[in-house]
Amino acid sequence: MRSLAASFLGVLGLLAAGATGPSAPAIRFEDIAEAGGVKFRTENCPTAEKHQPETMPAGVAVFDYDGDGLLDIYLVNGAEMPSLKKTGAKYFNRLYHNNGNGTFTDVTERAGVAGSGYGMGAAVGDYDNDGRPDLFVANVNGNQLFHNNGDGTFTDVTAKAKVSGALFGGRKMWSVSAGWFDYNNDGLLDLFVSNYCKWDPANEPVCTGLDGRGYCHPNSFAPLPNTLYRNNGDGTFTDVSEETGISRVLGKGMGVAFADYDGDGFADVFVANDNSPNLLFHNLGGKRFEEVGFRANVAYNEDGNALSGMGAEFRDVDNDGRPDVWHTAVENETFPLFLNRGGGQFSNGTQASGVARLTRMMSGWSNGVADIDNDGWKDFFVARGNVMDDIDKVSRHFHYGEPNAVLRNLGDGRFADVSAGAGADFVRPAPHRGLAYGDLDNDGRIDLVVTALGAPAAVYRNITVNHNHWILLRLEGVRSNRMGLGARIRVTTPDGKSQYDEATTSTGYGASSDARVHFGLGKNAEAREMEIRWPSGERQLLRDVRGDRVIVVKEPAESVSDEVKDAR
């Protein structure tokens, strides 16, 4: 986030840059939240004192908590600030069960996942390999871990698991995002928590805004280390941040994403930082991490500046087999695209791809990278909203509420802004924050769930119409973690083209997306070849896999086998 002066420096006089989309059918969404029973507002509880967390709640998760094959929705809420004059108001997180007919039922109380903190983000992972996804909530105050009991309920096991939040300077660190990954490939998911800044509500600086008191620039606060918890396999975790080198580097952590960027078989960690250099933790054999952001060329933009990093994605966007990094920022900074060139190096492709021009006037929070139109190329989409809640008072160019954006991947290294054609629901302005994505209705098209401060959440059903095919993989680890997170997949279609992805739930900013791995197949009705490299090191090769369906792929227990079946 930035101050008003920083936001406007060199901006006045700029005109919004856009691009018309290609001749392909329009990408389109419709908001089914209200009709579908998802009645949720992110209550950030803004105050005259402008407490720093008020502008940042964003948590969204889409996951199948009850194993019925349908993605459910979890939304994270804020809470009263200590200085609010009114009393008795309490806001809770909500869990909505997917009924399979376009409607959802609020099951929060029965499930026991209402939460008890000022919420920021959500992370989904099956940490005990029982086949039921568990839920971690990152809060300003105590974090929470909910164990999935398998009967539609969860148990708060935070105290037992020892993951309520690490201390820094005697206070619990303000956690923003989190993610699950198996950093040492022992078959157990470990937990990474990104922490933001050293903030004390009883000793907060007073900052001047556009019209009186305003939200402070992040530089008004000291940075924090991130936290890594190793899974002990008995329901408890050990904080290994110091011994692995994670806590030796400070920052203002926002989005966190995982991928094996150098192909050595161990998952690496990218953290988008707010007004401090981004961090890239290179995994050294599952024992420790080396921070290589500057060396790898992902710490700064092309001008050598640290940006207001928000949401982070770590996926291959150019189909060369190497995961790239794309993160959001605020207006006049652009959303940097770092292209993985191999050898541990990234190049800045923001200008050449057109992303710089398309995003210069945008402020973005959570984001996603997925093939929205199933043409075989991953597209970009972002939840937009300005940081400053009073920016409309002084600006003709920027507004607190912004329309969401979708950038279509043209397949030639360039992107086009096709937001205008995505439907009135999608571009309705609001101070958007959270975004998670997945196929909510199993029709092969990626849907989005987006939150906004003080406004209703949106459930964007993808209604794009074309004749492209798709395939959706639900991985089932045996020697690897049960969810198969960290598995690397290559899909080759009969036309000889290949595309790549990695299984993860950690996406965007404070978000957790569909654990299933989605591929658009274009005009191909099948995948000629599918290669899965499991975290255990097992290589599994499948041939002639029919598309347009959700399939389960189970990791071979001992030797390679083609165990593929349709999902329920």
Side-chain angles (χ1 to χ4, degrees), residues 105-128:
T105 300
D106 188 334
V107 295
T108 309
E109 277 67 38
R110 178 181 183 274
V113 290
S116 61
Y118 195 103
M120 286 283 139
V124 173
D126 182 2
Y127 73 86
D128 56 355

Side-chain angles (χ1 to χ4, degrees), residues 15-20 334 350-351 353-361 415:
L15 296 177
T20 57
T334 77
T350 318
Q351 293 286 348
S353 66
V355 171
R357 177 174 56 88
L358 299 175
T359 62
R360 184 168 298 279
M361 301 295 283
F415 290 78

Side-chain angles (χ1 to χ4, degrees), residues 183-184 190-191 228-232 236-240 243:
Y183 82 89
N184 53 6
D190 310 295
L191 178 64
L228 175 61
Y229 295 102
R230 185 182 62 220
N231 191 334
N232 299 325
T236 69
F237 293 78
T238 299
D239 187 340
V240 294
E243 68 181 73

Side-chain angles (χ1 to χ4, degrees), residues 69-107:
L70 297 167
L71 294 179
D72 309 295
I73 300 173
Y74 187 73
L75 298 165
V76 176
N77 220 336
E80 276 195 324
M81 281 290 172
S83 59
L84 271 177
K85 300 296 188 294
K86 61 181 180 179
T87 60
K90 176 63 179 176
Y91 307 104
F92 296 103
N93 308 336
R94 311 308 297 177
L95 175 62
Y96 292 92
H97 175 259
N98 189 337
N99 300 322
N101 60 0
T103 68
F104 297 80
T105 300
D106 188 334
V107 295

Side-chain angles (χ1 to χ4, degrees), residues 260-282:
D260 179 7
Y261 79 92
D262 58 350
D264 64 356
F266 291 89
D268 309 295
V269 186
F270 176 82
V271 180
N273 276 327
D274 189 0
N275 280 271
S276 61
N278 297 324
L279 304 177
L280 178 59
F281 291 104
H282 179 220

Side-chain angles (χ1 to χ4, degrees), residues 396-411:
R396 292 180 301 157
H397 302 283
F398 302 116
H399 304 281
Y400 186 44
E402 296 186 25
N404 295 308
V406 57
L407 308 182
R408 172 180 272 148
N409 189 333
L410 303 181

Side-chain angles (χ1 to χ4, degrees), residues 293-318:
F294 178 77
R295 186 195 314 166
N297 196 37
V298 298
Y300 304 96
N301 71 355
E302 64 270 29
D303 298 322
N305 296 319
L307 303 183
S308 306
M310 304 283 199
E313 280 279 357
F314 206 166
R315 298 186 189 270
D316 179 15
V317 303
D318 52 6

Side-chain angles (χ1 to χ4, degrees), residues 376-450:
W377 294 95
K378 298 181 188 69
D379 309 295
F380 291 169
F381 39 96
V382 58
R384 294 178 54 192
N386 204 277
V387 173
M388 309 301 295
D389 60 350
D390 51 3
I391 196 166
D392 295 82
K393 296 179 180 179
V394 298
S395 173
R396 292 180 301 157
H397 302 283
F398 302 116
H399 304 281
Y400 186 44
E402 296 186 25
N404 295 308
V406 57
L407 308 182
R408 172 180 272 148
N409 189 333
L410 303 181
D412 60 0
R414 297 178 302 129
F415 290 78
D417 187 345
V418 296
S419 311
D425 293 344
F426 187 73
V427 295
R428 186 177 298 115
H432 301 106
R433 292 297 186 265
L435 182 155
Y437 56 95
D439 189 352
L440 293 171
D441 50 6
N442 291 335
D443 68 350
R445 294 175 291 189
I446 296 297
D447 309 299
L448 317 178
V449 181
V450 178

